[in-house]
């Protein structure tokens, strides 16, 4: 088991029953870095981690990243986002921009050579030609050259893509073809995904591990013994097995739900005795879906608005951007972030990206995003400022037939929660100035409360 401590000493990241997966990664890392004393040449490869929501993929990926950094590897990391899977090469941008950001345009031209004109717009270095979609195969060929150069220049390299089931179609197509080269480079590719949520166009990606002569690591739920160990580690040795067994039964061994339930038990000061097992069902319901949203509402309007902003911004959720979208001042923002981190809604500050706000777990982000009333969600996407990681005018042209969506002309001066379905126009989502304000509420529907039960709130009921 591996863990780090969150606020108040509550374990924030735990790895139970993942020893075999970590041993495999350690072995692949040895191959990548060259086995000490053997004089072996670096050897890359592919590690695919598959599992349903909450089975610990993100926690395992975090441990993979930690181990790679400890071995001195260069990390190229990205994650898919439910809100941005329709944005061409969005995940590729996350992978390469941190490396390219430290160099000038002259260096970019030297690195990309003849590929510059076609790859630079796709990865957000320059503006693309208005209304002209890039040649996907040309971009993929250029990316092959770019990442191969990275792998050789910054070896050994570990390339990590978490939540790959939400990656954009162009990134998945490139990654599927390029991954076959990893064995011949000082490059280890690690992908994590939910197999049941892979889109139809990802059929070749699904078979990626098999094509490498291996199979995905299929994660399993915790056994009752693992949940019992978790209960003892967090709540102390005074608990009984029947109480731990009830925790396992209520969560079906789902690691995310089990860890969150035990954290809630600790917060409530419930003694881990079977006589108190009747209190567990209410706590378990607060970990997921509507129960999580109700728990979030109790943190107040500023915290609730901030979570909506982070959900809409996705991987681009920097503090200043999120504060602008949520309409929060400096003090309100600091207070809301603190409350949400204490409540394990937002993750602790990352050393790699200290200014970025991330949800504690992708399941939390999904629940929040789907609970936003549909009209409000459209309004917030419209007000979303451009990503700070790219030039304001460098977004790639829309992908024909897939990246166009309906955006509101007007809400008739009313708040987005109670306005009638807006008149729409089909077109790319307009870019607005940074710091766009929170959509104006009305007296009947402040933005931290759910809208009346209507078609606009169906997403909240489904979650």
């Amino acid at each position: 088991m591996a863990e780090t401590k969150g606020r108040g000493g509550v374990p924030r990241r735990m790895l139970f029953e993942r020893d075999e997966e970590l041993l495999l990664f350690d072995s692949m890392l040895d191959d990548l870095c060259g086995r000490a004393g053997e004089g072996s040449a670096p050897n890359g490869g592919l590690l695919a981690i598959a599992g349903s929501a909450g089975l610990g993929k993100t926690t395992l990926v975090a441990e993979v990243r930690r181990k790679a950094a400890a071995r001195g590897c260069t990390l190229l990391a990205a994650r898919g986002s439910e809100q941005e899977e329709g944005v061409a090469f969005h995940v590729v941008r996350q992978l390469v921009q941190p490396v390219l950001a430290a160099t000038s345009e002259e260096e970019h031209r030297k690195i990309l050579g003849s590929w510059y004109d076609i790859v630079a717009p796709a990865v957000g270095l320059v503006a693309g030609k208005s209304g002209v979609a890039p040649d996907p195969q040309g971009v993929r060929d250029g990316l092959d050259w770019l990442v191969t150069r990275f792998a050789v220049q910054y070896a050994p390299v570990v390339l990590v893509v978490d939540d790959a089931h939400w990656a954009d179609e162009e990134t998945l197509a490139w990654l599927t073809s390029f991954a076959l080269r990893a064995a011949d480079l000082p490059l280890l590719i690690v992908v994590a995904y939910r197999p049941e949520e892979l889109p139809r166009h990802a059929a070749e990606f699904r078979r990626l591990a098999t094509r490498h002569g291996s199979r995905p690591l299929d994660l399993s739920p915790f056994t009752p013994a693992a949940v019992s160990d978790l209960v003892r580690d967090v709540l102390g040795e005074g608990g009984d097995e029947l109480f731990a067994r009830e925790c396992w039964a209520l969560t079906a061994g789902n690691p995310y739900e089990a860890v969150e339930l035990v954290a809630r038990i600790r917060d409530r000061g419930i003694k881990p005795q079977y006589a108190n097992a009747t209190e567990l069902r209410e706590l378990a319901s607060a970990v997921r879906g509507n129960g999580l949203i109700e728990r979030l509402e109790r943190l107040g309007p500023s915290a609730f608005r901030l979570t909506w902003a982070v959900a809409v911004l996705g991987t681009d959720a920097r503090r200043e951007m999120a504060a602008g979208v949520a309409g929060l001042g400096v003090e309100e923002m600091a207070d809301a972030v603190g409350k949400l981190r204490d409540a394990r809604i937002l993750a602790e500050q990352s050393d790699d990206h200290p200014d970025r706000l991330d949800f504690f777990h992708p399941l939390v982000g999904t629940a929040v995003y789907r609970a936003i009333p549909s009209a409000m969600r459209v309004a917030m996407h419209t007000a979303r400022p451009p990503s700070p990681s790219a030039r304001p005018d460098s977004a790639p042209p829309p992908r024909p037939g897939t990246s166009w969506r309906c955006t509101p002309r007007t809400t008739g001066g009313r708040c987005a929660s109670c306005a009638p379905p807006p008149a729409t126009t089909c077109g790319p989502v307009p870019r607005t100035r940074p710091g766009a304000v929170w959509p104006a509420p009305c007296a009947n529907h402040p933005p931290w409360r759910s809208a009346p039960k209507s078609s606009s709130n169906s997403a909240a009921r489904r979650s």
Side-chain angles (χ1 to χ4, degrees), residues 365-382:
T366 297
V368 171
Y369 186 72
R370 294 179 181 176
I372 302 174
S374 57
M376 176 70 86
R377 192 187 307 161
V378 169
M380 293 179 72
H381 272 294
T382 303

Side-chain angles (χ1 to χ4, degrees), residues 265-314:
I265 293 169
R266 176 171 175 153
D267 292 345
R268 287 278 190 93
I270 298 173
K271 293 184 177 180
Q273 304 293 329
Y274 186 68
N276 299 321
T278 54
E279 299 182 50
L280 297 182
R281 192 168 298 279
E282 176 190 350
L283 292 180
S285 68
V287 171
R288 63 177 83 92
N290 290 333
L292 186 148
I293 300 303
E294 290 170 5
R295 178 159 60 92
L296 180 55
E297 284 180 338
R298 290 194 289 271
L299 297 179
S302 295
F304 204 109
R305 287 157 56 181
L306 178 58
T307 59
W308 281 14
V310 173
V312 168
L313 289 170

Side-chain angles (χ1 to χ4, degrees), residues 156-414:
V157 174
V158 177
L159 186 155
V160 180
V161 178
D162 193 13
D163 289 332
H165 52 281
W166 285 330
D168 57 273
E169 182 177 353
E170 289 78 6
T171 292
L172 285 181
W174 167 74
L175 190 60
T176 301
S177 63
F178 179 75
L180 298 176
R181 303 185 182 191
D184 300 322
L185 295 169
L187 171 69
L188 176 58
I189 297 175
V190 181
V191 294
Y193 59 91
R194 302 175 191 171
E196 72 278 8
E197 295 189 31
L198 282 173
R200 290 183 180 180
H201 61 72
E204 287 300 312
F205 176 84
R206 187 188 296 273
R207 293 190 286 269
L208 193 56
T210 305
R211 292 167 64 192
H212 268 262
S214 63
R215 61 181 178 81
L217 288 177
D218 291 313
L219 301 185
S220 301
F222 283 164
T223 64
V227 176
S228 181
D229 289 342
L230 170 65
V231 169
R232 283 196 300 271
D233 278 10
V234 178
L235 304 178
E237 297 290 339
D240 60 43
E241 286 300 318
L242 287 176
F243 183 90
R245 184 83 182 192
E246 188 70 9
C247 291
W248 174 81
L250 284 171
T251 61
N254 182 287
Y256 164 72
E257 293 187 12
V259 170
E260 288 302 298
L261 175 60
V262 173
R264 301 278 81 74
I265 293 169
R266 176 171 175 153
D267 292 345
R268 287 278 190 93
I270 298 173
K271 293 184 177 180
Q273 304 293 329
Y274 186 68
N276 299 321
T278 54
E279 299 182 50
L280 297 182
R281 192 168 298 279
E282 176 190 350
L283 292 180
S285 68
V287 171
R288 63 177 83 92
N290 290 333
L292 186 148
I293 300 303
E294 290 170 5
R295 178 159 60 92
L296 180 55
E297 284 180 338
R298 290 194 289 271
L299 297 179
S302 295
F304 204 109
R305 287 157 56 181
L306 178 58
T307 59
W308 281 14
V310 173
V312 168
L313 289 170
T315 56
D316 289 330
R318 295 343 192 243
R319 288 181 70 110
E320 184 177 355
M321 292 175 66
V325 173
L328 300 180
V330 175
E331 292 184 3
E332 278 186 300
M333 182 69 177
D335 180 65
V337 169
K339 286 181 178 179
L340 291 166
R341 284 177 171 162
D342 284 338
R344 299 160 67 85
I345 301 295
L346 291 183
E348 297 291 345
Q349 179 175 300
S350 165
D351 293 335
D352 296 334
H353 303 283
D355 191 44
R356 192 166 75 189
L357 297 175
D358 289 312
F359 284 107
F360 186 82
H361 191 278
L363 282 174
V364 177
T366 297
V368 171
Y369 186 72
R370 294 179 181 176
I372 302 174
S374 57
M376 176 70 86
R377 192 187 307 161
V378 169
M380 293 179 72
H381 272 294
T382 303
R384 171 183 170 150
S387 167
S389 60
R391 291 168 47 112
D393 58 352
S394 65
R399 206 166 56 223
T402 57
S403 65
W404 296 69
R405 60 175 166 229
C406 292
T407 56
R409 294 181 191 273
T410 178
T411 58
R414 282 169 282 183

